[in-house]
């Protein structure tokens, strides 16, 4: 696994820690990985709408529900 370091303003770090607690993440690394995965997934879907979900056929409307933690 690759490591990197980021710097955050104190207020942003406090807000992030509150988000971590609210969503039940074990630690900051887990939360950052999830945020990156979500951002990359959203970018892929934006580039190719419905390509992520071939089982729905030729781009027919559908709804994806994400479970809450």
């Amino acid at each position: 696994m690759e490591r990197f370091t980021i710097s955050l303003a104190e207020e942003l770090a406090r807000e992030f820690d509150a988000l971590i607690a609210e969503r039940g993440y074990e630690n900051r690394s887990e939360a950052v990985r999830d945020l990156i995965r979500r951002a990359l997934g959203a970018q892929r879907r934006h580039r190719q709408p419905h390509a992520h979900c071939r089982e729905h056929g030729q781009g027919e409307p559908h709804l994806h529900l994400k479970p809450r933690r």
Side-chain angles (χ1 to χ4, degrees):
M1 188 170 294
E2 189 169 330
R3 291 177 156 227
F4 69 94
T5 303
I6 63 170
S7 298
L8 299 175
E10 287 182 34
E11 179 62 23
L12 185 57
R14 278 193 295 273
E15 289 182 35
F16 188 53
D17 288 340
L19 178 74
I20 289 169
E22 180 182 311
R23 292 191 180 177
Y25 291 108
E26 298 273 330
N27 52 55
R28 287 176 171 171
S29 292
E30 183 183 341
V32 169
R33 282 191 295 269
D34 190 45
L35 289 170
I36 291 171
R37 283 186 202 106
R38 288 174 187 235
L40 293 173
Q43 184 176 10
R44 281 190 293 271
R45 287 188 299 278
H46 177 72
R47 287 184 183 155
Q48 295 179 318
H50 305 293
H52 66 285
C53 203
R54 299 273 186 228
E55 71 268 15
H56 290 288
Q58 297 297 320
E60 63 188 68
H62 58 280
L63 176 66
H64 288 276
L65 300 176
K66 294 182 179 174
R68 292 190 68 186
R69 290 180 166 234

